Amino acid sequence: MTTGPQHGDVRLVDASDDPYFVVGGRYADTTFTDLLEAAPTEGPYVRYDDALDVWRANSMRHIDEAFVRYVIVQADSPETASDQAEEPPVTRTVQSA
């Protein structure tokens, strides 16, 4: 599975038949590269919109906690999805017009 650019904390991914999962947890700092405490993986969700609803609820519950982050990933299993929570975030470059 290949992840693409991010929109906020939602990773946009290549189209596939793999289900969506919501993964994340508490990280050491705001670089989000060192996962200290993983949250339970949620899913699978066949529809992206269902995963997005769960991501929003989780994110809003922890809105005041700068070191907590959740992402939506596509994966073939919960284990593969959990592994992606430990990957560094994808950087997005914004160019001005």
Side-chain angles (χ1 to χ4, degrees), residues 37-56:
E37 181 183 337
T41 299
E42 298 191 50
Y45 301 100
V46 174
R47 293 177 356 103
Y48 175 83
D49 289 343
D50 295 336
L52 184 60
D53 289 342
V54 172
W55 171 84
R56 280 190 181 127

Side-chain angles (χ1 to χ4, degrees), residues 11 17 26 36 49 51 86 96-97:
R11 291 187 186 180
D17 292 333
R26 184 171 313 283
L36 298 178
D49 289 343
E86 297 183 29
S96 58

Side-chain angles (χ1 to χ4, degrees), residues 12-94:
L12 304 177
V13 294
D14 296 337
S16 81
D17 292 333
D18 289 338
Y20 298 96
F21 295 87
V22 179
V23 297
R26 184 171 313 283
Y27 291 81
D29 56 38
T30 57
T31 63
F32 302 107
T33 55
D34 185 16
L35 183 62
L36 298 178
E37 181 183 337
T41 299
E42 298 191 50
Y45 301 100
V46 174
R47 293 177 356 103
Y48 175 83
D49 289 343
D50 295 336
L52 184 60
D53 289 342
V54 172
W55 171 84
R56 280 190 181 127
N58 287 342
S59 296
M60 291 305 294
R61 237 186 344 270
H62 298 281
I63 197 164
D64 294 327
E65 299 173 61
F67 299 154
V68 175
R69 179 180 215 168
Y70 293 92
V71 294
I72 296 172
V73 297
Q74 265 184 303
D76 58 359
S77 71
E79 294 78 20
T80 304
S82 295
D83 291 344
Q84 292 183 51
E86 297 183 29
E87 292 179 5
V90 178
T91 305
R92 186 176 89 178
T93 304
V94 178

